[in-house]
Amino acid sequence: MRWEGPLLILMRLLRAGLTLWIVISAVFILARVGGDPVQYLLPPDIAGPEREDLRRILGLDRSIFVQYLIYLENIAGGDFGRSFFSSRPVSDVFFERLPATISLMAPSLLMAVVIGVPAGVLAAVYHNTVIDRVLMALSFIGQSMPSFVLGIALILLFSLMLKILPSSGDGSWQHYIMPIATLSTILAASIARLTRGSLLDVLNRPFITFARGKGLPRFSVNITHGLRNALLPVVTLIGMQIGALIGGTAVIETVFAWPGVGRLMVDSVIRGDYALLQFGILILAGTVIICNLLVDASYLLLDPRLRSRGAA
Amino acid sequence: MMTSGHLLDIQNLRVQFTTRRGVVTAVHDMSFTLDPGETLCLIGESGSGKSVTGLAITGLLPKERVCSGSVLFNGRNLLDLGDRQMRRIRGKEIAMVFQDAMSALDPVHTIGKQIVETLMAHEDITYRAAWDASVEMLGLVGIPDPKQRMLSYPHELSGGMKQRAVIAIALICRPRLLIADEPTTALDVTIQAQIIELLRALQSRLGMALLFVTHDLGVVAEIADKVVVVYGGRVVEAAKAASIYESPRMPYTRALIDLAPHFDRPRPRGERLPAIPGSVPDPSVQLSGCAFAPRCSEAESRCTEIAPSLEEASARHLVRCLRWRDLAPFPRRELGA
Ligand SMILES: Nc1ncnc2c1ncn2[C@@H]1O[C@H](COP(=O)(O)OP(=O)(O)OP(=O)(O)O)[C@@H](O)[C@H]1O
Ligand code: SF4
Ligand SMILES: [Mg+2]
């Protein structure tokens, strides 16, 4: 049916919009039940009237519902407000921190894929051998270790005991090693496990026996026919894990004192900097949603059966 | 060095699987020969080891298996060959077509890619030349508009067309032996007839030998030069097709023919091997006597004690039965009855 494709896309976009709305509303409410930002912004010895003034300036004197409506109206006009803390536009504060986070996330994601996928392929191809067992044991450990534990363990070992890597900050390339290692470990481990499982499934399918029967080289059987068919769930996982990765950066940036948006978000929670928090969450949630849409679109690339259904 | 004049000479092939429940002997004693240009039909109940035999010949069984005996192909024992040497034979000299064409093709690659890669794996040939040869082969197996079909994905073809594409892939290197394991069971009756026709035509055109696994007695009557009847992983009777139809000696074969009165004549296809009372022997149980004894109407007490061996009852007619000499000649049916 011709309308099916566009309708599907429209539904997706509607859902994405709805998700975003729920996220910003939830953050709006949660931030406000969390406490009074004025108490973080002013020293304790400042008197009551001045506090009330600040509250008025920040718009906090009105009811939550009115604040919410004003907030939505401002967003619609492209005005995301100013940071309570630094009085600069929230987008400026946020985006100047973004490169530091991207410079962690992108290499971590890349590392996780570059390590996870081949490890999963090896484990599946050498199913039930020592290689498989060792890789799966490693990935089990990697997957079950909380990232802050791993981060702290790395700091203890390489910074405090061996003194070969810096424990915090982002001054040199050495600073990148431990945060990236920490961030990519869990993801690499789950990618490896999923790749293995998915590939094992595919390798038992009759078309693999037929491909072997054609006398194709092993690489072609395992990769061109095997992995290529096993990729769909792996891509889904990677797309979904981007959200987890963003969450992970908040922890990792705090552990390694990394000046990225993850720590900025943690800080703005602590300081009660609602406007900044709301903006940051909006952007991060938007990123996750876009990643999910990209994953959906990549299905069309990976599976010709879906492609022709969309086109028909 | 063992040599034989046959293209394929299987002697005492045994295949065992190590499973969680213990060792399973799927094939006990398989012996038969096949010459160039000949068609051999392998028949027997479900679970009798036909597919395992085919996969053992091409070395496609899972690693948890042990094969013994010999599978001579052109005088070389395939069971001794390493993976690399075997790969050079598979697809090039021995090709396989399986029952389920729907799942034999990789869903994410075009037909063209899947046929071209086969040719390029075996021959020193340019992509262009491989492409042209593939188009020609698709035409040869009766796929209309082959140039367009090269670009199609498997899900865009009908079942019959998919099986033709699979056959084209199998034949692209002009193998000397084609193993077809129930290649038509998943198709509807008219398509089945076309595929069988096609295989016959291609066989004589390419001069290849055909090892055909089937349940369909109509197909056997139509194409077989030789028939090998298997029971419980063993060959129980093997002979020229005519000799099997006229004087079946082993009670199992007789029961089959009794239950399928028009065995010796082509007939509407799709008729399955008749079911005889009783059930197939469990491959994980070791029997002392004849594996067929529990179901055999001719069984004597010694049948459960002595395992019969394959004996030559008449010229080139092998039978595995302790009593073949005592059994009355099989009543000849009147033709046309
Ligand atoms: N990988 C395996 N591991 C263990 N047992 C197996 C394996 N493959 C086949 N078998 C067993 O070997 C026996 C023979 O199976 P096979 O597939 O050869 O039968 P078949 O004659 O082809 O039957 P059908 O007519 O149903 O295709 C069966 O009992 C089966 O369970
Ligand atoms: S050996 Fe005995 S049981 Fe076996 S087929 Fe012959 S007569 Fe029947
Ligand atoms: Mg079978």
Side-chain angles (χ1 to χ4, degrees), chain A residues 41-92:
Chain A
L41 295 174
L42 292 178
D45 52 328
I46 301 280
E50 276 150 53
R51 288 182 173 258
E52 287 313 311
D53 286 345
L54 181 60
R55 207 163 260 134
R56 216 166 11 256
I57 295 168
L58 295 177
L60 298 172
D61 55 333
R62 300 182 227 195
S63 78
I64 284 207
F65 187 66
V66 174
Q67 286 183 45
Y68 179 64
L69 289 183
I70 294 173
Y71 172 58
L72 286 188
E73 195 189 330
N74 289 345
I75 290 187
D79 172 13
F80 294 95
R82 288 170 178 270
S83 161
F84 294 175
F85 190 71
S86 65
S87 313
R88 296 166 55 218
V90 284
S91 54
D92 290 2

Side-chain angles (χ1 to χ4, degrees), chain A residues 91-167:
Chain A
S91 54
D92 290 2
V93 180
F94 184 86
F95 286 120
E96 77 189 9
R97 293 281 209 113
L98 193 60
T101 294
I102 290 177
S103 72
L104 269 196
M105 274 188 60
S108 298
L109 195 59
L110 191 72
M111 282 277 288
V113 172
V114 164
I115 294 171
V117 171
V121 170
L122 276 180
V125 169
Y126 294 99
H127 180 47
N128 273 342
T129 65
V130 182
I131 299 178
D132 182 20
R133 301 231 166 78
V134 170
L135 284 172
M136 282 310 103
L138 285 177
S139 76
F140 179 75
I141 297 169
Q143 209 178 12
S144 43
M145 173 126 55
S147 56
F148 72 91
V149 173
L150 181 60
I152 291 169
L154 289 178
I155 291 178
L156 284 177
L157 182 63
F158 291 105
S159 305
L160 299 182
M161 286 165 63
L162 300 175
K163 299 191 195 314
I164 51 176
L165 288 175
S167 67

Side-chain angles (χ1 to χ4, degrees), chain B residues 285-303:
Chain B
V285 174
Q286 279 285 355
L287 291 169
S288 49
C290 172
F292 188 55
R295 301 164 79 183
C296 181
S297 55
E298 311 286 348
E300 291 179 341
S301 59
R302 60 180 173 141
C303 293

Side-chain angles (χ1 to χ4, degrees), chain A residues 220-280:
Chain A
S220 163
V221 172
N222 291 327
I223 305 300
T224 316
H225 295 286
L227 183 61
R228 180 64 177 69
N229 277 279
L231 228 43
L232 215 73
V234 177
V235 170
T236 310
L237 176 85
I238 294 172
M240 290 191 322
Q241 289 297 316
I242 287 180
L245 205 56
I246 287 175
T249 56
V251 175
I252 292 312
E253 289 178 2
T254 305
V255 170
F256 290 98
W258 193 267
V261 293
R263 196 152 64 103
L264 184 67
M265 290 300 98
V266 174
D267 288 346
S268 56
V269 171
I270 294 170
R271 292 170 185 156
D273 198 344
Y274 298 170
L276 184 55
L277 182 65
Q278 282 160 188
F279 181 73

